[in-house]
Amino acid sequence: MKRSAAAEMMDSADNPRELLEEDLMNLRRLNRYLGGGRCVRYGIAQVVRRQHLHQLAVLDVGAGSGDVAVEIVRWCRRSHIDSTVVTLDRDPVTVVVAAKQVAGFAEIAVLRGDAAAPPFAPKQFDCVLASQFLHHFSEAEIIALLQTWATQARRAIVVSDLLRHPLAYYGIQALTRMSTRNIMTLTDAPLSVQRAFTLAEWRDLFRQAGVGKFHVKPLVPFRLSAWIEIAS
């Protein structure tokens, strides 16, 4: 299966509010049942445990509706780690949805901004997290983003994303057809798999970015958990 260059509906700036809000709800459900949160926790845990951290500041770029940030905070609470998570997303509707989803979690701040130009001083965060975000971009854009985020992270960049595979494509296509009529979810869910990379391709992208030693871990079902140690 070749990688698709088609744009996802979510990336359009003029989506109807109701359509996008329902799609975000569907994505939260898919994350919950298909291991999105588990994949993020795995990568974050590797950084925390390898570097013996008791405090953790995370910049969650392309953060969507905040469910991943909540997963991080809950894991940190269970692990007795003081955490701060800043979510960053450029879409105004998504930011409003995220603010509602994370209400009650004092550790989480929701901001609107561009992941390609984060509005923060260098090295303000222990980790920059990109969860199911990088597959939206071209190879050249991904390399540039990783290099930008390396200026923001003191310790690591954590990447949680999809692995491109025909079984993943047909599986998510069937699942979404059975569970929703939302045209954005029906279009973007299988397209996300087509836009993702194989394990070898992810490794090559991290190698080309050249920001530090990287580790990749494939997880079921067709997920990538990766962490890149930032070179000092």
Side-chain angles (χ1 to χ4, degrees):
M1 174 182 286
K2 292 183 178 180
R3 186 179 189 236
S4 173
E8 296 184 35
M9 288 183 66
M10 174 179 277
D11 293 329
S12 173
D14 57 356
N15 288 306
R17 174 184 293 271
E18 295 80 8
L19 182 70
L20 179 56
E21 288 179 343
E22 185 181 36
D23 179 62
L24 291 169
M25 178 184 69
N26 290 337
L27 290 178
R28 292 193 297 273
R29 289 174 177 168
L30 291 172
N31 263 342
R32 183 163 64 250
Y33 294 118
L34 297 180
R38 175 174 53 87
C39 193
V40 169
R41 291 195 306 271
Y42 184 90
I44 291 289
Q46 295 301 314
V47 175
V48 167
R49 291 167 181 165
R50 288 167 183 247
Q51 303 209 20
H52 309 289
L53 301 182
H54 301 286
Q55 294 180 321
L56 182 68
V58 177
L59 175 60
D60 182 4
V61 292
S65 54
D67 54 318
V68 170
V70 170
E71 286 276 356
I72 294 170
V73 168
R74 285 175 171 163
W75 179 82
C76 285
R77 288 177 178 179
R78 293 193 301 270
S79 303
H80 307 290
I81 295 166
D82 293 331
S83 65
T84 300
V85 182
V86 176
T87 72
L88 191 67
D89 202 289
R90 69 179 184 181
D91 182 79
V93 173
T94 301
V95 168
V96 171
V97 172
K100 294 177 182 177
Q101 290 294 317
V102 307
F105 289 87
E107 300 96 328
I108 303 174
V110 176
L111 297 179
R112 184 183 177 195
D114 186 357
F120 306 104
K123 305 300 181 184
Q124 194 165 334
F125 299 92
D126 294 303
C127 298
V128 174
L129 167 68
S131 176
Q132 296 186 78
F133 184 52
L134 283 178
H135 69 260
H136 289 262
F137 299 94
S138 70
E139 290 91 334
E141 289 170 330
I142 291 170
I143 291 167
L145 285 168
L146 292 170
Q147 291 170 345
T148 295
W149 299 338
T151 69
Q152 300 286 317
R154 293 188 291 262
R155 301 178 185 277
I157 299 169
V158 176
V159 175
S160 173
D161 218 300
L162 306 173
L163 293 172
R164 192 176 74 252
H165 193 281
L167 287 178
Y169 173 82
Y170 290 112
I172 197 64
Q173 185 180 68
L175 179 61
T176 51
R177 284 178 176 177
M178 290 187 295
S179 61
T180 186
R181 295 182 179 179
N182 182 283
I183 188 61
M184 185 180 295
T185 306
L186 290 170
T187 301
D188 285 358
L191 180 55
S192 290
V193 175
Q194 289 181 304
R195 286 195 55 83
F197 299 91
T198 66
L199 197 61
E201 290 167 346
W202 279 116
R203 287 192 176 104
D204 189 53
L205 285 168
F206 299 148
R207 189 176 297 111
Q208 289 185 65
V211 299
K213 183 179 179 181
F214 60 88
H215 311 263
V216 297
K217 176 72 173 179
L219 297 174
V220 176
F222 302 103
R223 298 273 181 169
L224 168 87
S225 185
W227 58 103
I228 306 171
E229 300 172 13
I230 300 303
S232 56

